[in-house]
């Protein structure tokens, strides 16, 4: 009997046949309407759910899936998956930690380069026939700070240190003795010590508005912020104010609080570069992400240890 997987994601469609080739039956429901319809029509058959952190899986949905045994999240974040509801039912949860780290790190550096070197503005000036030549900072030898030194943060650090000869500092839940980078005890302390601050932390209560007005003040009027982690890590209102008032030099953002809606206040600013949550997207990343889901599902249903388990709270 094939296992039934409810697929809520929309970004890896070309690689979903990897799941079917592994013997899984897929029910695809990438929109809110189809999601509700699929749960209502097939809830009693569904063994697993494939989702993303922003899409999540909520307690009421988990309750409507009596056969559900495992939730697989693509990407590292799982902020809208109800871990308590999963734990109460002894449902396993996995994530895609590390699967798309190289692609996200590439995009973080691309945003930083585009922002600091004014690439969008220069491109626009050429197209308008203006031939403007702004004087822009260089990246070599600058000080980079990374909030969240997981797989993505480490990939960014390697690119910055080895490719641009930057000094790298980081703030994490705890110091990492296995890295050559400088640990800072708080996000504010980190911001005060760097020229560029890249947010690579997951969402959730523990990181909500970790980068607030105090951190932005510490980053200062010559500092730049990049966020390829989760929008909730940065206080958007404080960021808009800091950008508008020149209290930081600029920001590159791939994530937003209410995607796909982006605040008009951000769109109007000339010192920001905006991309539509594409940092983790590439053919290789999508394939590696789905392949990791396949391996986790195969391990789970054969009684083997999960490759990337998410730690769950104690049942209540």
């Amino acid at each position: 009997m094939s296992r039934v997987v409810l697929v809520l994601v929309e970004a890896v469609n070309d690689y979903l046949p990897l799941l079917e080739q592994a013997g899984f039956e897929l029910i695809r429901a990438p929109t809110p309407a189809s999601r509700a319809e699929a749960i209502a029509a097939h809830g009693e058959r569904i063994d697993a759910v494939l989702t993303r952190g922003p899409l999540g899986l909520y307690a009421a949905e988990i309750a409507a899936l009596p056969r559900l045994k495992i939730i697989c999240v693509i990407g590292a974040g799982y902020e809208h998956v109800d871990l308590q509801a999963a734990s109460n039912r002894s449902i396993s949860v996995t994530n895609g930690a590390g699967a798309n780290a190289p692609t996200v790190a590439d995009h973080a550096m691309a945003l930083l380069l585009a922002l600091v070197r004014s690439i969008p503005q220069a491109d626009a000036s050429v197209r308008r026939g203006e031939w403007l030549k702004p004087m822009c900072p260089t990246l070599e030898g600058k000080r980079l700070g990374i909030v969240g030194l997981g797989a993505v943060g480490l990939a960014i650090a390697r690119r910055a240190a080895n490719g641009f000869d930057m000094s790298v500092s980081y703030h994490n839940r705890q110091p990492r003795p296995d890295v050559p980078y400088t640990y800072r005890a708080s996000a504010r302390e980190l911001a005060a010590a760097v020229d560029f601050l890249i947010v690579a932390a997951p969402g959730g209560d523990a990181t909500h508005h970790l980068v607030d007005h105090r951190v932005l003040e510490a980053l200062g009027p010559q500092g730049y912020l990049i966020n390829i982690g989760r929008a909730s890590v940065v206080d958007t209102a404080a960021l808009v104010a800091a950008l508008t008032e020149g209290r930081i030099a600029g920001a590159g953002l791939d994530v937003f609080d209410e995607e796909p809606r982006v605040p008009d206040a951000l769109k109007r600013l000339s010192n920001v570069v905006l991309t539509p949550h594409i940092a983790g997207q590439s053919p290789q990343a999508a394939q590696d992400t789905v392949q990791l889901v396949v391996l986790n599902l195969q391990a789970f249903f054969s009684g083997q240890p999960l490759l990337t388990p998410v730690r769950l709270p104690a049942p209540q």
Side-chain angles (χ1 to χ4, degrees):
M1 181 181 67
S2 63
R3 304 289 185 174
V4 179
V5 182
L6 175 63
V7 179
L8 305 180
V9 300
E10 73 292 343
V12 293
N13 288 343
D14 290 346
Y15 300 93
L16 291 178
L18 291 172
L19 282 160
E20 293 172 317
Q21 293 163 13
F24 296 98
E25 177 187 344
L26 305 186
I27 298 174
R28 305 188 189 204
T31 67
S34 63
R35 173 173 174 160
E37 292 170 2
I39 291 174
H42 304 285
E44 295 188 357
R45 300 178 55 232
I46 293 168
D47 301 289
V49 171
L50 175 57
T51 188
R52 294 191 299 116
L55 295 175
L57 192 69
Y58 300 98
E61 295 174 317
I62 292 172
L65 302 172
R67 286 177 55 91
L68 182 63
K69 302 175 184 68
I70 181 170
I71 302 166
C72 295
V73 185
I74 64 169
Y78 42 84
E79 61 271 24
H80 289 303
V81 175
D82 194 317
L83 299 184
Q84 188 63 63
S87 175
N88 294 347
R89 285 260 309 274
S90 299
I91 295 169
S92 296
V93 180
T94 69
N95 71 350
N100 65 356
T103 300
V104 178
D106 287 351
H107 195 80
M109 296 307 295
L111 275 176
L112 183 60
L113 283 162
L115 178 66
V116 174
R117 298 295 300 168
S118 297
I119 300 299
Q121 294 88 341
D123 176 86
S125 81
V126 172
R127 295 174 190 274
R128 291 192 301 261
E130 295 171 349
W131 208 250
L132 299 178
K133 294 186 177 182
M135 190 68 69
C136 302
T138 183
L139 270 67
E140 184 179 15
K142 292 297 195 299
R143 303 167 300 166
L144 178 72
I146 303 173
V147 179
L149 203 67
V152 171
L154 282 172
I156 293 169
R158 288 193 295 269
R159 284 158 174 75
N162 300 334
F164 293 90
D165 196 27
M166 292 185 188
S167 62
V168 178
S169 303
Y170 71 98
H171 173 64
N172 218 36
R173 284 175 294 181
Q174 56 189 12
R176 294 192 55 156
D178 58 333
V179 300
Y181 313 120
T182 302
Y183 173 73
R184 304 289 181 178
S186 69
R188 186 177 184 182
E189 179 183 331
L190 177 65
V194 301
D195 304 296
F196 312 134
L197 185 66
I198 297 183
V199 175
D205 293 341
T207 60
H208 183 73
H209 287 185
L210 182 63
V211 176
D212 58 12
H213 71 280
R214 294 170 298 178
V215 173
L216 297 172
E217 288 290 341
L219 184 58
Q222 304 302 315
Y224 295 84
L225 174 78
I226 303 294
N227 189 1
I228 44 76
R230 284 292 184 261
S232 61
V233 182
V234 178
D235 183 336
T236 299
L239 176 61
V240 170
L243 289 164
T244 302
E245 298 165 12
R247 288 185 280 111
I248 68 170
L253 307 174
D254 185 57
V255 288
F256 307 92
D257 289 316
E258 298 180 3
E259 297 177 3
R261 289 177 291 179
V262 177
D264 289 337
L266 280 173
K267 294 179 184 178
R268 287 193 293 264
L269 292 170
S270 62
N271 55 345
V272 299
V273 176
L274 309 173
T275 56
H277 203 150
I278 57 171
Q281 291 188 217
S282 73
Q284 188 62 52
Q287 180 174 334
D288 291 348
T289 295
V290 176
Q291 187 59 46
L292 180 57
V293 171
V294 170
L295 294 174
N296 269 314
L297 288 174
Q298 289 176 327
F300 179 83
F301 288 114
S302 63
Q304 301 300 312
L306 294 169
L307 281 73
T308 54
V310 171
R311 185 176 179 178
L312 300 180
Q316 292 182 353

